């Protein structure tokens, strides 16, 4: 498909393309949140298998770098979901 055909499609249906962009951001953000949570649970399960301690003590065994990385991915995932909501809201006005 040529660039001119894509541009004419955008001019004909701008709200639909904005909704597609919002859907992309929502799927990417949700996947990132799920993957981060799954990675966090697997890490805690691995620590629990190695050291049979209480659950509160297991959370403190994660390294500071891992905790910072998880916080970053959680923030980025929620930002993607917020951006998807904003783009979806904007698309209703197109």
């Amino acid at each position: 498909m040529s660039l001119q055909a894509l541009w004419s499609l955008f001019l004909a249906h701008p709200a639909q393309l904005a909704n597609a962009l919002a859907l992309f951001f929502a799927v990417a953000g949700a996947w990132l949140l799920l993957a981060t949570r799954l990675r966090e649970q697997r890490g805690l399960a691995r620590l629990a298998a190695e050291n049979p301690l209480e659950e509160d003590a297991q959370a403190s065994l994660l390294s500071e770098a891992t905790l910072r990385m998880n916080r970053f991915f959680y923030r980025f995932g929620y930002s993607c979901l917020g951006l998807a909501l904003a783009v979806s809201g904007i698309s209703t006005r197109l």
Side-chain angles (χ1 to χ4, degrees):
M1 191 173 252
S2 71
L3 187 59
Q4 186 177 10
L6 286 174
W7 185 251
S8 65
L9 182 66
F10 171 70
L11 291 176
H13 306 286
Q16 226 175 11
L17 289 176
N19 274 334
L21 183 64
L23 182 64
F24 170 75
F25 283 130
V27 168
W31 175 82
L32 188 60
L33 289 173
L34 287 172
T36 304
R37 181 64 183 150
L38 190 65
R39 187 179 63 240
E40 189 177 35
Q41 286 179 341
R42 285 182 180 169
L44 287 175
R46 186 173 24 93
L47 286 175
E50 291 173 1
N51 300 337
L53 298 173
E54 298 176 12
E55 288 184 18
D56 296 335
Q58 289 175 6
S60 64
L61 290 177
L62 291 175
S63 69
E64 183 62 32
T66 303
L67 292 174
R68 260 188 285 134
M69 186 176 63
N70 286 343
R71 277 195 307 262
F72 171 76
F73 282 128
Y74 278 131
R75 287 179 186 159
F76 194 77
Y78 283 120
S79 298
C80 283
L81 290 179
L83 183 62
L85 184 63
V87 170
S88 180
I90 289 171
S91 74
T92 60
R93 297 185 182 127
L94 293 178

